[in-house]
Amino acid sequence: MTPILEVQDVTKAFGGVIANDGITLKVPQGPIIGLIGPNGSGKTTLFNSIVGYHPIDRGSIWFEGREISRLRVPQIARLGLLRTFQQTRIYGKMRCLENMQISVPHVHEGLRTMLSPYPPEVTERAEGLLEFVGLYPKRHLRGGELSFGQQKLLELAMALMNQPKLLLLDEPTAGINPVLINSLMERLKRINADLGVTLFVIEHNMRVIMNLAQHIYCLAHGQLLAEGPPEEIQTDQQVIDAYLGAR
Ligand code: ADP
Ligand code: MG
């Protein structure tokens, strides 16, 4: 079967810093796949390259068998490939429901805009997804009134408004109250299993990624250091050294 995502020999440098150095990896359609590595190892850069945030210097990126290396963020998003950020990007002054409504492109078209800016099916989907992440009771609060953890859930729900096939999550549990991490993990598993969204997850919390991912890639110094199922990665001496060396 064609993998949903293929990264082939991707290199990206910023001035003299080679953030990604010939990375090759695959994400099959279906599971939750992990991406780990010490700070500065190039994880976020790889996500940025995949979603078209910046051009790559070398290599190619394929989504569902189609080359996307030279496409831009909105084109790639329309194909069903989206990301979330380490720092959330929600509108603090807008209500949760509005944040959801505006996250779908093409709603500001035609005469309908003057009467009611959001088609009823968009509002319905927004309410359904807010319910799914447990924020329905807070739909009329402003984004800025939510806790950081709730803002991350809202951002997740906003990404789901676009019905992605593959969602890249950059440290979804970073900054979240440890008590809430388990429930966030359960939600991520439901997004994967119930909504059928393949997840590619950068995660710093080892317990979380070992529990979530079926297969894990580990980067170090911009290169792929190791890959394998969680139980193998956990005991891989190169991975252990990379993390210990980074402290
Ligand atoms: P990670 O997400 O694994 O912590 P990053 O991909 O953010 O790592 O960073 C990898 C390297 O690339 C770091 O040395 C970082 O300083 C550098 N880098 C990332 N983005 C930029 C940028 N926009 N401009 C210059 N250097 C960058
Ligand atoms: Mg990062």
Side-chain angles (χ1 to χ4, degrees), residues 186-216:
E186 287 318 305
R187 270 194 235 282
L188 294 179
K189 286 181 183 171
R190 281 185 57 205
I191 288 171
N192 177 246
D194 300 354
L195 303 183
V197 183
T198 304
L199 300 180
F200 192 19
V201 185
I202 296 176
E203 185 51 65
H204 227 68
N205 184 323
M206 281 296 178
R207 180 180 72 82
V208 170
I209 201 65
M210 294 299 160
N211 178 294
L212 277 182
Q214 281 98 312
H215 191 90
I216 297 174

Side-chain angles (χ1 to χ4, degrees), residues 14 17 19-20 37-46 86 170-171 202:
F14 299 102
V17 178
N20 287 163
N39 268 331
S41 58
K43 306 180 297 296
T44 297
T45 301
L46 184 64
Q86 223 168 320
D170 197 345
E171 302 202 16
I202 296 176

